[in-house]
Amino acid sequence: TGGGKACPEREGTRSSTAIDIGSQIFITCAAPELPVSMAPDVNVTVFVVDIGRYFSDTWEYRLPPPPVIQADTLAVSGVVTGAADFKALSSVNKFPIDVTIDNALSKNGINVDRAYATFHGTGIGMGEIQSEATFFPPVVNLKMTFDTPGFAAVGFVPISIFLCDQNNGTETCLKVNQTSEGTGLVIEFWDN
């Protein structure tokens, strides 16, 4: 068992090797999907039918890496700017922003049915503005596009991205606001 859930031995995977104190047995089991709340430690118990003994130990349960915004792929109106020069020349006009998010994969337990960005512009009089995103289902990473608000305000505005999953009529959203450089995502609006 792993975390109290059945982990049946895969047929044909058992092998053994003679060692000084007896035999060392190698098995492969079909690991159960475990809730992430069990991390970082999970109890694993093996019952060996042949000898009628239990062996237990605590294993490290490593979670997949969290989703991050790939800093070097940020683009405004199709021009790749990266995180350092992430700015829109006009706050009044709407510009498409292209973002790539790494690690947002179903194999990591992240399913995406809807995505949006929130511009946190309260500090410059913009308020909190949401922008729905278009995206392609991730294969290696999630590529999405959303528009700037088109609100007349000048200054720095933090952006949070939300990846949402609709499951049995309930939507849960995961907030992603860290870049691969370890900083938050911030865009500068200025008028020329």
Side-chain angles (χ1 to χ4, degrees):
T1 62
K5 297 187 179 205
C7 180
E9 180 180 347
R10 288 190 151 160
E11 195 172 319
T13 63
R14 184 185 298 211
S15 64
S16 62
T17 302
I19 57 174
D20 291 344
I21 58 172
S23 294
Q24 185 174 24
I25 300 172
F26 299 93
I27 62 167
T28 302
C29 77
E33 186 171 325
L34 300 174
V36 295
S37 61
M38 295 184 97
D41 296 319
V42 64
N43 292 323
V44 175
T45 301
V46 176
F47 177 69
V48 182
V49 177
D50 301 359
I51 59 174
R53 289 196 53 198
Y54 286 94
F55 299 93
S56 294
D57 201 357
T58 301
W59 288 20
E60 181 182 5
Y61 177 17
R62 293 186 186 175
L63 296 177
V68 293
I69 300 161
Q70 193 54 258
D72 61 352
T73 65
L74 294 169
V76 178
S77 295
V79 177
V80 176
T81 62
D85 294 316
F86 193 46
K87 53 185 80 164
L89 295 178
S90 170
S91 59
V92 179
N93 298 315
K94 289 190 174 192
F95 293 99
I97 295 178
D98 299 315
V99 175
T100 299
I101 300 177
D102 287 341
N103 308 322
L105 302 168
S106 58
K107 74 175 187 176
N108 292 349
I110 300 171
N111 298 307
V112 182
D113 296 320
R114 181 172 83 94
Y116 66 92
T118 298
F119 292 82
H120 306 284
T122 304
I124 62 169
M126 182 185 287
E128 300 281 311
I129 299 176
Q130 283 188 11
S131 178
E132 289 294 321
T134 57
F135 63 94
F136 296 101
V139 176
V140 175
N141 47 38
L142 178 85
K143 294 178 187 280
M144 60 185 283
T145 301
F146 55 90
D147 290 330
T148 59
F151 186 91
V154 176
F156 293 92
V157 177
I159 302 172
S160 294
I161 293 173
F162 292 87
L163 307 177
C164 305
D165 178 30
Q166 189 75 250
N167 191 1
N168 296 327
T170 303
E171 184 177 66
T172 57
C173 296
L174 173 66
K175 181 178 179 180
V176 180
N177 63 357
Q178 290 294 305
T179 69
S180 54
E181 295 173 344
T183 61
L185 181 59
V186 177
I187 189 167
E188 180 183 7
F189 291 108
W190 56 293
D191 294 311
N192 46 345

